[in-house]
Amino acid sequence: MESNQKTGRTIGFLLLLIMALGIPSVVLRGLSTSMVASSDFLNEIFQNSFQMRIAVLLDILTSALWLVIAIILFPAIKKYKNSFALWFFGIWLVQFAVIVFSNITHLSLLSLTNEFVSTGATDTELFSTLGLLKIEEYFWAHFMSLMLYASAAFSLYYFLFQTKLVPRFLSAWGMVAISLVFIASWLNIFDINPSFYFFSQNGIHMIAFMGWLIAKGFNTTQNIPKTQ
């Protein structure tokens, strides 16, 4: 059906927009736990506060676009299985809330550095400790949001695998790729630093998945099966 193809292409272009906003968001964030190795890290954050605020905005926008994709897909997934559709939309909603929280944490870190610089605080150790805690708080929320994202994306690929709206190899590849992101996020929670490949391979799949959707959309000959 033509509506299937149009919906798929719309999602493909939304994924392209997500990547276009997401990459500069990561680059501009400029935040890492290694920053505290520098005794002047609060000043460094203050000096880069504007670009960090841009990163916060872009991060929230990209997460909101995933929520838009969930809304677009909700009627189709509901046709497949109502409870699954509610789970799918609900987990994206929770993921968006965690993203907002993590960015509020980052903004509060910027407020802390502004207070540190503007008042000429002499108690550097106290401010540094508070800054470190804010950075850690952001990253813990970040990994929680990654696990939620991985769970929601896995649900998407599972739905596509079952309905054959895209070639099954793309859906299966997606389930494997996003599972590695989920595992890597848990490893970070247990203070185990996994290879960057655990995350980067998901980006490779996303490019292939996005390209297919833009070029082909969803399968026009495939009807969505209804399950109980």
Side-chain angles (χ1 to χ4, degrees):
M1 298 187 296
E2 274 190 43
S3 59
N4 277 358
Q5 186 179 56
K6 185 177 179 181
T7 299
R9 283 180 170 164
T10 298
I11 291 172
F13 281 112
L14 286 173
L15 291 176
L16 178 61
L17 185 56
I18 285 171
M19 292 188 71
L21 296 176
I23 292 173
S25 172
V26 172
V27 172
L28 293 173
R29 177 79 63 178
L31 199 62
S32 70
T33 53
S34 63
M35 294 183 76
V36 297
S38 168
S39 59
D40 199 35
F41 80 96
L42 292 173
N43 275 311
E44 290 177 23
I45 293 174
F46 176 78
Q47 290 166 9
N48 294 291
S49 61
F50 179 75
Q51 69 181 46
M52 288 184 172
R53 291 176 194 276
I54 297 297
V56 166
L57 174 62
L58 294 178
D59 193 28
I60 292 175
L61 283 176
T62 56
S63 185
L65 287 173
W66 275 112
L67 202 55
V68 170
I69 290 175
I71 292 170
I72 292 172
L73 284 173
F74 185 81
I77 300 178
K78 185 178 180 181
K79 182 179 178 182
Y80 169 73
K81 191 173 184 178
N82 185 62
S83 59
F84 188 78
L86 293 173
W87 152 265
F88 178 74
F89 180 73
I91 199 166
W92 278 117
L93 193 60
V94 173
Q95 194 266 350
F96 178 72
V98 174
I99 284 289
V100 170
F101 171 77
S102 68
N103 282 293
I104 289 173
T105 297
H106 192 169
L107 289 173
S108 67
L109 170 65
L110 297 181
S111 297
L112 178 71
T113 60
N114 183 66
E115 182 70 15
F116 173 74
V117 172
S118 62
T119 61
T122 55
D123 195 347
T124 304
E125 185 176 350
L126 173 61
F127 274 87
S128 295
T129 301
L130 291 173
L132 170 61
L133 289 175
K134 282 295 177 184
I135 291 175
E136 292 285 353
E137 185 178 9
Y138 164 77
F139 276 103
W140 289 130
H142 172 70
F143 286 120
M144 289 300 296
S145 72
L146 274 179
M147 286 189 287
L148 288 166
Y149 162 75
S151 300
F154 186 92
S155 300
L156 170 61
Y157 297 135
Y158 174 80
F159 165 72
L160 295 176
F161 184 85
Q162 293 294 326
T163 56
K164 302 178 185 177
L165 289 175
V166 298
R168 276 190 157 178
F169 83 89
L170 268 179
S171 303
W173 180 10
M175 285 190 283
V176 172
I178 205 64
S179 294
L180 291 177
V181 172
F182 185 84
I183 292 169
S185 299
W186 268 111
L187 289 175
N188 273 283
I189 293 232
F190 286 98
D191 287 330
I192 301 171
N193 294 319
S195 167
F196 182 67
Y197 173 77
F198 277 73
F199 298 100
S200 62
Q201 50 73 39
N202 182 61
I204 296 170
H205 169 264
M206 186 61 68
I207 292 171
F209 180 58
M210 173 193 69
W212 177 273
L213 289 179
I214 291 174
K216 301 286 188 178
F218 287 146
N219 190 342
T220 57
T221 62
Q222 187 66 37
N223 291 318
I224 298 174
K226 188 173 183 178
T227 60
Q228 296 300 321

